[in-house]
Amino acid sequence: MKNSIELRKQLKAVETEMTSLLDVAKTEDRNLNDIEQTDFDTKFEKVEALKRSIESAEKVEAFEARQAANTGVSVPSISTGKTEKYSLLGHIEAVRKGKVEGIFAEAQAQGEKELREAGVAINSNAAYIPSDYARAFSVTGDSGAKGGNTVATETTGIIESLFEGSLLDKLGATKMLGLVGNVNMPKGGKVVSTWESENSAVAASDHNLGVIALSPNRLATRMIVSNQLLVQTSGSVESYLRKEIEKSIQKALDEKYIANLLAASDTQSLVMGTNGAALTVAKVQEFLELAGKAEADLSVGKYLINYDIWSALKALPKASGSDKFMLENGLIDGVDYVVSNRVPANLVKGTGTDLSAMAFGDFSTAIVAGWGAIEILVDPYTASGTGQTILNLGSYFSLSDSHFEGKAVAKDIIA
């Protein structure tokens, strides 16, 4: 009986043959001829049969592993698609060598499917990392007399990991990942309730529905890595590459949301002065006043500041001569805040330069929309003379906010 990994290899080979048949017809702008159609149908039936065989094989393998663990009987290591250990480095290297097999082929197929459903064209020279890929299983035996315990280790996918510690995560932004196609989110207007007598007519109120349009935008990332790095199997190297990708995308998403926030026309504008001005206690409290009047939920509101403002608030007394300051004990005047270098400190107004931005509001209305997999286009040629490979990464996101009007924003603070 063949194991599931061998069956998966057969499945991949047959699917590749089917794709080639279709590609020829598409290139020649025609339908399959009778011979090709018969061949395609035969292969289709073979694919379906292989899928059933894979499912059966995996059930048998899982049962044998459980029995070995329960009875103490040692069995050979299981080599299946379920127990292969996924590696980002291994996936990229497989694409670089043009030999994508096993668990890498599984990840590739899933990633390609996600992006096709999102309307993104597929490139044969790219590695596709599914948005939620978490298959990193290994099989080992005990060092003692009893062996054969199956040890499963799962790791989070890259896109899921993006928001562990990102500014948007700290703000409590809403994440919508794994989207398919364009998404239009309805945004409701206000509904008015009025007290009326028993038989009086109720005045109609308009409930206008707006739309928040979300569509995939390509976020391009370029990395140059040595070929020696790509062939490493060290977990620390794998972790390094993942984190470099994550940090780059995190930064770009954070900066884009803040740029959208500062450019939005419907936020509550807080004006400091003709050429900018320093913060006062009254101005800090005005942020809450403006957001509150816009009916934002102040109980979950946060200030968003940069480190220049952080220093200024640490030195701003709550009252003249007081030893209490606006920022102390991890709060701004008793209210939570998030500080980040992503908040600009180089704005210009009138003759004022190097001015800072600051905002307050309920940031759970911020929206991070993501479509499908990360695409890693592997270019082993351009920098081959220096023993390097260029990785051009593409990920697909959209940043918005369902209630910009609930944010109070200043863009002219001298800090």
Side-chain angles (χ1 to χ4, degrees):
M1 179 178 178
K2 292 184 177 180
N3 64 37
S4 61
I5 190 65
E6 293 172 335
L7 293 170
R8 285 180 181 278
K9 289 180 179 178
Q10 290 185 24
L11 175 63
K12 180 64 177 178
V14 177
E15 289 178 335
T16 299
E17 293 172 1
M18 294 172 68
T19 301
S20 297
L21 275 173
L22 295 174
D23 287 344
V24 170
K26 289 177 181 177
T27 301
E28 298 175 1
D29 195 22
R30 62 175 175 80
N31 295 325
L32 297 175
N33 59 39
D34 291 343
I35 296 175
E36 290 170 331
Q37 187 64 57
T38 300
D39 191 15
F40 183 87
D41 292 343
T42 301
K43 286 180 168 58
F44 182 87
E45 293 299 325
K46 188 174 182 180
V47 164
E48 295 304 305
L50 281 168
K51 288 180 179 178
R52 291 191 293 270
S53 297
I54 290 170
E55 184 177 357
S56 297
E58 288 178 343
K59 288 178 180 178
V60 170
E61 291 159 355
F63 174 76
E64 289 177 340
R66 287 196 300 270
Q67 289 297 102
N70 292 334
T71 64
V73 177
S74 179
V75 296
S77 293
I78 302 170
S79 178
T80 72
K82 294 278 187 183
T83 55
E84 288 183 278
K85 188 172 181 62
Y86 178 80
S87 161
L88 176 60
L89 282 170
H91 194 161
I92 295 172
E93 182 68 1
V95 171
R96 192 170 77 93
K97 292 182 175 179
K99 194 174 182 180
V100 182
E101 298 177 340
I103 199 169
F104 303 132
E106 177 186 310
Q108 185 83 356
Q110 185 178 330
E112 288 181 2
K113 179 176 181 292
E114 287 183 6
L115 287 185
R116 282 196 184 98
E117 290 177 344
V120 177
I122 301 303
N123 191 309
S124 60
N125 295 319
Y128 291 95
I129 317 301
S131 58
D132 61 350
Y133 202 67
R135 291 277 296 280
F137 295 90
S138 63
V139 177
T140 61
D142 288 342
S143 58
K146 296 181 179 180
N149 286 338
T150 300
V151 180
T153 304
E154 297 208 17
T155 58
T156 58
I158 289 179
I159 291 182
E160 294 292 344
S161 299
L162 284 175
F163 303 101
E164 296 174 3
S166 72
L167 170 61
L168 286 163
D169 193 48
K170 293 175 183 176
L171 289 173
T174 298
K175 298 183 285 288
M176 300 170 59
L177 306 177
L179 298 178
V180 176
N182 294 340
V183 176
N184 288 332
M185 293 179 60
K187 179 178 178 179
K190 292 182 179 179
V191 178
V192 179
S193 298
T194 58
W195 293 101
E196 304 286 351
S197 60
E198 182 177 355
N199 298 314
S200 63
V202 179
S205 62
D206 292 331
H207 183 59
N208 298 321
L209 285 177
V211 172
I212 300 170
L214 302 172
S215 59
N217 300 287
R218 183 170 183 263
L219 174 59
T221 307
R222 184 179 175 88
M223 298 179 66
I224 300 178
V225 298
S226 72
N227 293 337
Q228 284 186 331
L229 183 71
L230 290 177
V231 298
Q232 296 296 313
T233 57
S234 167
S236 61
V237 174
E238 172 87 9
S239 177
Y240 163 78
L241 187 62
R242 285 173 59 95
K243 288 186 180 300
E244 288 302 304
I245 294 172
E246 291 165 8
K247 286 191 296 184
S248 177
I249 297 176
Q250 274 180 355
K251 180 180 179 182
L253 292 175
D254 292 342
E255 289 176 341
K256 181 61 175 176
Y257 173 74
I258 290 177
N260 291 348
L261 175 65
L262 297 184
S265 60
D266 50 350
T267 58
Q268 307 304 313
S269 179
L270 193 149
V271 179
M272 299 298 298
T274 303
N275 302 307
L279 284 169
T280 63
V281 172
K283 281 294 184 182
V284 173
Q285 294 172 341
E286 190 177 338
F287 281 92
L288 276 73
E289 179 187 348
L290 291 174
K293 288 180 176 178
E295 299 190 358
D297 186 354
L298 300 189
S299 67
V300 294
K302 297 179 181 179
Y303 286 102
L304 176 59
I305 62 175
N306 60 30
Y307 282 97
D308 288 349
I309 292 178
W310 181 85
S311 295
L313 291 173
K314 291 277 287 185
L316 178 62
K318 291 189 173 184
S320 179
S322 172
D323 61 352
K324 301 294 184 181
F325 296 90
M326 290 299 286
L327 195 160
E328 59 183 18
N329 300 322
L331 299 171
I332 297 177
D333 201 21
V335 178
D336 197 9
Y337 72 92
V338 175
V339 59
S340 172
N341 285 322
R342 309 286 177 258
V343 180
N346 59 350
L347 303 176
V348 176
K349 182 180 181 182
T351 60
T353 59
D354 294 331
L355 305 176
S356 289
M358 180 174 174
F360 174 84
D362 172 12
F363 288 98
S364 68
T365 61
I367 299 170
V368 187
W371 283 260
I374 288 181
E375 173 189 70
I376 304 180
L377 183 61
V378 182
D379 176 6
Y381 309 110
T382 303
S384 60
T386 55
Q388 295 177 312
T389 293
I390 298 175
L391 305 179
N392 293 297
L393 286 74
S395 47
Y396 298 85
F397 293 95
S398 182
L399 282 298
S400 189
D401 197 303
S402 61
H403 290 87
F404 275 125
E405 67 273 15
K407 313 291 188 298
V409 177
K411 297 180 280 187
D412 57 346
I413 300 172
I414 297 175

